[in-house]
Amino acid sequence: MGTRGPHPLVDTTPAKTILVYRNGDQFYVGRRVVVSRRRVASFEALLEQLTEQVEAPFGVRRLYTPSRGRVVCELDALQSGGKYVAAGRERFKKLDYVHIVPRKPAKMRKLKEIKPVVHCDINVPSRWQTYHRMSRHINVFTNGRLFIPPVKVIIPKFSLSDWNCVLATVGDKVFPLGGVRKLYTLTGHLLGSSQDLQDNQFYIAAGLESFKSLPYWKCPRVPSEVQQRYMDVEKLPPKKKKVEAKGKEPPSRDTAPPKTQESVYYAKEGPEKKMVAEPPVEKGAEGDVYKARTPTKDAQGAQDVREDPEVKVEVPVDQAPAEIVKEEEAVPGDAMDAENTKEKEDGKLGEEVGRKV
């Protein structure tokens, strides 16, 4: 009996790498595809794989050679390192696929920096360059804590436009009560924006509390130049405040008010008139208020006319005296008629009740 040779359980055919172009596309550089027997068992499976990788508009149905346009129908016909054109059901389009070169991206032009107009030979940087394009290096003390050395804080340039961002950056390094809410200079001047910050200067971070005046500049970490400057300021004599002498009495309230300027909105003050107190007038027939004290020229020599007692004077209702009104007595004849009518009504009611029964 003859012996059988060893049957290979796994296909050991080496994988092939091919470069596939898109039919009629002169800008498609090509796609490298690895053809392995383990993953691609047939030619139809290869066409499905190329449809996903090459992204043909109507799917890959045929495979051509790039130079002559011959159709490839088997996996064994593929050569390792070969170049092919993937197409759908359309005809082969002749192009120079082999020499398609990828386009280089266009170079972005660098925007030239706008510089300020210089009218003289002095080279001075403009404010927008120094303020917006440079970070700040400052040293910050904690308010009221003299024995804590200053902390160096670097404020980046992108946070200088917002003052709250500046305070938040300082709050990451310095921890006063309630967080950093204010920044002061060593003399107690409150800062309101990042434009007031200067490089390599010393500031004091405070929370909601007020500024505590202490000799922060005596810290050994403060440069000698800064210490000398504040020492010179401290040696200056303080300004004297005007203090009133003890012997002087405070100005009395009875002093005359200052003269006011003339204005159309205020009445002019005239000379004060002296009020003379008049003697009280006794009430009566002679000293009555409603009678003239001195008769006029027309009434002089005229006789007084007495009032007629029979003249009726109208008096208001509330002031008139009350009158007693007598009640009217009932007439006996009317009472009898009322009783007769009542008896007749009772008789009629009795008859109606008897009929219903």
Side-chain angles (χ1 to χ4, degrees):
M1 295 177 63
T3 59
R4 295 181 179 180
H7 182 72
L9 300 177
V10 180
D11 192 358
T12 58
T13 306
K16 300 177 182 179
T17 303
I18 61 176
L19 184 63
V20 182
Y21 297 96
R22 191 184 296 164
N23 187 27
D25 193 347
Q26 58 181 349
F27 302 104
Y28 191 74
V29 183
R31 181 71 179 269
R32 293 190 179 278
V33 181
V34 178
V35 181
S36 175
R37 285 284 187 177
R38 297 180 183 179
R39 297 182 179 180
V40 182
S42 61
F43 190 76
E44 288 74 12
L46 175 63
L47 296 179
E48 291 180 1
Q49 182 179 356
L50 293 177
T51 302
E52 297 177 358
Q53 296 183 1
V54 179
E55 299 178 357
F58 300 102
V60 178
R61 296 292 179 267
R62 296 173 185 174
L63 205 63
Y64 298 96
T65 58
S67 57
R68 298 183 179 181
R70 294 181 181 179
V71 181
V72 180
C73 301
E74 297 179 357
L75 291 177
D76 297 336
L78 297 175
Q79 297 179 2
S80 180
K83 299 178 181 180
Y84 302 93
V85 180
R89 298 188 181 280
E90 70 274 7
R91 295 181 180 179
F92 174 75
K93 297 179 182 180
K94 292 183 179 181
L95 289 174
D96 191 4
Y97 295 101
V98 180
H99 297 90
I100 293 177
V101 180
R103 286 187 175 185
K104 295 181 180 180
K107 294 182 179 180
M108 296 293 293
R109 294 182 180 179
K110 294 183 179 179
L111 297 176
K112 294 183 179 180
E113 186 178 0
I114 301 174
K115 297 182 179 180
V117 180
V118 180
H119 298 283
C120 60
D121 298 335
I122 302 174
N123 187 12
V124 179
S126 59
R127 186 179 180 86
W128 64 272
Q129 287 182 340
T130 58
Y131 172 63
H132 291 288
R133 302 202 172 192
M134 295 178 63
S135 58
R136 292 285 183 272
H137 299 259
I138 60 175
N139 303 282
V140 184
F141 286 94
T142 305
N143 187 31
R145 301 181 182 179
L146 190 60
F147 299 102
I148 297 179
V151 180
K152 188 172 183 179
V153 181
I154 300 175
I155 302 174
K157 59 184 179 181
F158 59 82
S159 62
L160 288 173
S161 58
D162 190 358
W163 183 241
N164 293 327
C165 294
V166 174
L167 297 179
T169 306
V170 176
D172 295 339
K173 301 292 183 67
V174 185
F175 309 99
L177 295 175
V180 177
R181 302 295 180 86
K182 304 172 188 176
L183 272 182
Y184 294 92
T185 60
L186 295 181
T187 56
H189 176 68
L190 179 63
L191 302 181
S193 63
S194 56
Q195 296 179 0
D196 301 332
L197 295 176
Q198 297 180 2
D199 284 336
N200 302 322
Q201 293 298 325
F202 292 83
Y203 300 97
I204 298 167
L208 299 175
E209 72 278 3
S210 59
F211 174 74
K212 297 179 181 179
S213 181
L214 296 174
Y216 300 98
W217 50 270
K218 292 184 178 180
C219 180
R221 291 194 180 183
V222 179
S224 58
E225 299 176 357
V226 179
Q227 291 183 3
Q228 186 66 31
R229 187 200 315 166
Y230 285 98
M231 286 176 64
D232 296 341
V233 173
E234 194 176 18
K235 290 178 182 179
L236 294 175
K239 295 181 180 180
K240 296 181 180 180
K241 297 182 179 180
K242 294 182 179 180
V243 181
E244 296 180 356
K246 297 182 179 179
K248 294 183 180 181
E249 296 180 355
S252 60
R253 298 180 182 177
D254 299 336
T255 56
K259 294 182 179 180
T260 57
Q261 298 179 358
E262 294 183 359
S263 175
V264 295
Y265 299 103
Y266 300 96
K268 295 181 179 180
E269 296 181 357
E272 296 181 357
K273 296 180 180 181
K274 295 181 180 180
M275 301 299 293
V276 180
E278 297 180 356
V281 181
E282 296 180 357
K283 292 183 179 180
E286 296 180 356
D288 196 354
V289 180
Y290 299 100
K291 290 185 178 181
R293 297 177 186 176
T294 57
T296 59
K297 294 180 180 180
D298 300 336
Q300 287 181 2
Q303 295 180 359
D304 295 337
V305 180
R306 296 181 180 181
E307 295 180 358
D308 189 359
E310 294 181 359
V311 176
K312 293 183 179 181
V313 181
E314 293 183 358
V315 182
V317 179
D318 55 348
Q319 296 181 5
E323 295 180 0
I324 300 173
V325 181
K326 294 182 181 181
E327 296 181 359
E328 296 180 359
E329 296 181 358
V331 183
D334 297 339
M336 294 294 291
D337 295 339
E339 290 179 0
N340 293 334
T341 54
K342 189 174 184 181
E343 289 178 358
K344 289 179 181 180
E345 291 178 358
D346 294 340
K348 289 179 180 181
L349 289 173
E351 291 178 359
E352 291 178 0
V353 172
R355 290 174 185 175
K356 291 181 180 180
V357 174

